[in-house]
Amino acid sequence: MVNGMGTSGDEGRQYDVDVAIIGAGPAGLTAGYLLTKQGLSVAIIEKDTRYVGGISRTVEHEGYRFDIGGHRFFSKSQAVVDLWNEILPDDFIQRPRMSRIYYEGKFYSYPLRAFEALFNLGVLRSTLCMASYVKAKAFPKKTVRSFEDWTTNQFGQKLYSIFFKTYTEKVWGMPCNEMSADWAAQRIKGLSLGAAVLDGFKRSLGLNKKPNDGMQTKTLLETFRYPRLGPGMMWEAARDKILAKGGHILMGQAMKQLAADGQGGWRLSATGADGGETLIRARHAISSAPMRELAARMHPLPQTTIEANELKYRDFLTVALKIRSEDLFPDNWIYIHDSKVKVGRIQNFRSWSPEMVPDDSVACVGLEYFCFEGDDLWASSDDDLIALATREMQILGLVQPDQVIGGVVVRQEKAYPVYDDTYAANVAAMRAELEAAYPTLHLVGRNGMHRYNNQDHAMMTAMLTVENIVAERRLYDTWCVNEDAEYHEAGAEGAEAGLPSTRPVTPDQAAALASVRAVPERIAAAPDRRAA
């Protein structure tokens, strides 16, 4: 058996390793890298034939590079930062951070600059916005159930409709009046209109000298670190280090079955493009595959396969356009709050790194469309999507069609796990069954745990999983990020099947594990009052 990176031509081989890993995204590659450092053997399967990194990959086309989703390299966890530096020590650059909102042909700084906003909206609309805000504060909705209810109470109907409704519905594919108010409270927590306006006036007058021009909410950094050739550069480096340690990374291999071998270990079979099969035998298995997909391919089938099958995902695609222009705008990305177009966000790849765009006379942007796999947008041909993106850039007044000199489409399935009204119970049921029955099966990462988290959090789940595997017992409960984004140590070992914690959680681990992103939940059905 030859060490190294396999392709779909490796069918028929058998690998005997310590750990089999499903998926070569940030979680899978982090686990593979740390395991090989510990001297354990690994085999990783990845269904993509060319790229590692999952949603954090960098796609290359004719010398142009595209970041799928946009990845700023920032973490509150020093352990994660140190790991980034260890894997990619010489290729980070410091980049300015800039994002704006596009609404009705005008740009709005984010965070708010008060004079600019007043000028862009005009005196009449600004007055209506403030009147709507005053009304909402004087007569708030007493029953707050939805994202729309909560946001309207906080900012007024007018500002809600301008700066929240359109973009949020594009991203999640559901009406704002069906999303949980709890999500709005988490996602927009700490943002006060009055404070934002006051802060905006100060910054407009140049009175603030603090970082972020005095803006205190969230983590809106002025600069961030970024690999000079895109985020995929990080994961390609991790891949190379795993291979150098004798690990196996098998590209173009889709999981066919993950079967318990009856002795506490696993038999993982994968299928290549031509139908040939590869077999991996391992003591432990790590899965970053979607929980729904994992359940359907396990043998024996979990009793909770029905629950897993109910889990849903939001997909998106990027249409990258090459445009005859030195540059279009300085932003890393622009949020499109305009109902006339379907695009939700536009990335400017040169603003991420100049090295991603090889021709100084050409601008390269990525239009992001949020969709569901199989819907009309997803099923459109690449030519139709490129034509749509070109047309919408013209509608937005950003580009004329004759400036567009080429384009390419990148589809990303299962980009966002959906938090509907049943997801938590379904995830909990599958988790409980697998943990009780298979202590050597470990779920990691965004889709592996059905959690909409950051890149650094996905890495931390893998980092803790490696510690559990090396110790041959569960030192950490990797499912420690709860609805309040708090870290909980594992409970005592005993009748309740709690997971033991024999070492304290470091501040780095707690910080990364608390970086979970809030996502919308559908509101629960209103109680039937007819029976009252």
Side-chain angles (χ1 to χ4, degrees):
M1 189 182 312
V2 179
N3 290 341
M5 182 170 67
T7 66
S8 58
D10 285 329
E11 295 86 352
R13 292 190 177 186
Q14 179 175 307
Y15 297 82
D16 295 306
V17 294
D18 293 311
V19 185
I21 301 174
I22 303 166
L29 290 173
T30 296
Y33 173 70
L34 294 175
L35 286 166
T36 55
K37 277 188 65 178
Q38 293 281 353
L40 299 180
S41 57
V42 303
I44 304 174
I45 63 168
E46 169 55 51
K47 66 180 179 180
D48 196 297
T49 60
R50 179 178 178 184
Y51 296 106
V52 295
I55 196 173
S56 297
R57 71 192 184 279
T58 301
V59 174
E60 187 271 338
H61 178 75
E62 296 179 349
Y64 292 80
R65 296 174 183 271
F66 317 127
D67 184 343
I68 309 304
H71 293 84
R72 295 181 177 124
F73 278 68
F74 168 78
S75 177
K76 295 179 182 179
S77 167
Q78 188 61 45
V80 171
V81 173
D82 289 345
L83 185 58
W84 282 333
N85 290 336
E86 180 179 324
I87 295 173
L88 198 69
D90 303 317
D91 289 291
F92 277 109
I93 56 176
Q94 200 74 19
R95 299 299 297 157
R97 180 200 190 282
M98 184 176 182
S99 301
R100 287 181 294 174
I101 294 170
Y102 180 95
Y103 176 71
E104 291 190 349
K106 296 177 180 177
F107 292 98
Y108 295 78
S109 297
Y110 184 65
L112 172 70
R113 293 186 184 274
F115 291 155
E116 173 193 77
L118 289 172
F119 178 80
N120 283 348
L121 288 172
V123 175
L124 177 60
R125 185 173 290 178
S126 297
T127 302
L128 291 174
C129 286
M130 295 311 298
S132 175
Y133 171 71
V134 171
K135 178 182 177 181
K137 290 302 178 182
F139 305 101
K141 295 183 179 181
K142 295 181 179 179
T143 303
V144 177
R145 298 177 61 245
S146 69
F147 177 93
E148 181 176 306
D149 294 338
W150 189 94
T151 311
T152 300
N153 274 0
Q154 288 293 111
F155 304 102
Q157 178 66 35
K158 195 71 176 176
L159 281 174
Y160 155 74
S161 65
I162 293 174
F163 292 116
F164 293 95
K165 184 178 188 297
T166 300
Y167 182 77
T168 302
E169 291 184 350
K170 282 182 183 179
V171 172
W172 291 105
M174 65 177 82
C176 287
N177 60 11
E178 293 184 15
M179 296 180 192
S180 169
D182 293 340
W183 176 64
Q186 292 176 32
R187 190 62 170 167
I188 318 172
K189 180 170 57 178
L191 180 59
S192 157
L193 179 62
V197 170
L198 178 61
D199 182 83
F201 272 111
K202 288 181 179 180
R203 284 183 293 105
S204 297
L205 295 171
L207 300 179
N208 282 338
K209 302 301 181 183
K210 299 177 183 179
N212 284 338
D213 291 332
M215 188 63 178
Q216 299 298 318
T217 58
K218 298 293 183 184
T219 56
L220 300 177
L221 307 175
E222 287 186 317
T223 64
F224 60 93
R225 294 195 314 154
Y226 192 75
R228 59 184 182 82
L229 295 178
M233 193 179 193
M234 167 66 65
W235 304 115
E236 290 162 8
R239 172 200 65 198
D240 293 345
K241 291 179 182 295
I242 293 169
L243 297 176
K245 289 284 189 179
H248 310 279
I249 300 178
L250 311 176
M251 303 299 291
Q253 299 287 317
M255 174 174 55
K256 178 181 179 182
Q257 185 183 77
L258 180 65
D261 66 5
Q263 300 176 357
W266 298 93
R267 292 169 58 89
L268 171 63
S269 60
T271 306
D274 64 358
E277 188 170 309
T278 296
L279 178 64
I280 302 169
R281 299 193 303 189
R283 295 187 297 113
H284 289 264
I286 295 176
S287 175
S288 64
M291 293 181 74
R292 188 174 74 188
E293 181 178 326
L294 175 66
R297 287 167 171 75
M298 284 189 68
H299 178 75
L301 284 175
Q303 295 180 5
T304 51
T305 300
I306 294 176
E307 285 86 348
N309 196 49
E310 293 297 316
L311 296 174
K312 300 177 180 65
Y313 305 86
R314 185 70 165 157
D315 313 285
F316 84 100
L317 54 86
T318 298
V319 183
L321 297 180
K322 293 185 290 184
I323 299 164
R324 191 179 293 104
S325 172
E326 291 186 1
D327 216 345
L328 297 175
F329 44 80
D331 310 69
N332 309 120
W333 59 49
I334 296 173
Y335 300 97
I336 306 300
H337 290 228
D338 197 318
S339 59
K340 295 193 298 293
V341 294
K342 295 180 179 180
V343 63
R345 192 172 67 176
I346 303 176
Q347 289 196 68
N348 182 3
F349 295 115
R350 179 176 282 123
S351 290
W352 288 102
S353 170
E355 292 189 51
M356 295 176 72
V357 183
D359 189 336
D360 291 340
S361 67
V362 175
C364 188
V365 299
L367 286 78
E368 295 180 353
Y369 293 88
F370 304 93
C371 52
F372 290 110
E373 187 177 359
D375 67 13
D376 290 344
L377 198 58
W378 181 272
S380 297
S381 70
D382 288 5
D383 287 344
D384 286 345
L385 288 168
I386 292 169
L388 171 66
T390 301
R391 188 163 60 249
E392 294 199 338
M393 288 290 281
Q394 181 184 24
I395 292 171
L396 295 171
L398 298 176
V399 165
Q400 292 302 313
D402 59 4
Q403 292 179 266
V404 178
I405 58 176
V408 66
V409 177
V410 181
R411 289 173 172 80
Q412 179 60 51
E413 62 183 28
K414 297 179 177 62
Y416 308 115
V418 172
Y419 284 27
D420 57 21
D421 53 354
T422 62
Y423 95 95
N426 293 331
V427 169
M430 184 177 175
R431 171 197 170 188
E433 180 184 0
L434 297 185
E435 284 187 347
Y438 305 113
T440 58
L441 175 60
H442 314 270
L443 307 187
V444 298
R446 175 181 287 197
N447 281 333
M449 303 173 81
H450 202 83
R451 291 183 175 232
Y452 177 33
N453 51 36
N454 294 308
Q455 180 177 223
D456 63 335
H457 173 237
M459 292 174 64
M460 184 60 76
T461 63
M463 293 162 74
L464 297 184
T465 292
V466 169
E467 293 202 37
N468 289 343
I469 290 174
V470 171
E472 291 289 352
R473 58 195 178 97
R474 294 190 187 240
L475 297 174
Y476 297 107
D477 177 7
T478 55
W479 296 81
C480 51
V481 179
N482 67 11
E483 293 302 325
D484 297 318
E486 294 173 349
Y487 184 92
H488 292 292
E489 294 183 20
E493 189 174 15
E496 296 182 359
L499 302 178
S501 177
T502 59
R503 64 178 66 177
V505 178
T506 69
D508 292 332
Q509 293 165 345
L513 288 163
S515 67
V516 67
R517 293 182 185 175
V519 295
E521 298 179 36
R522 287 188 182 273
I523 59 176
D528 191 346
R529 302 184 182 277
R530 291 175 298 179

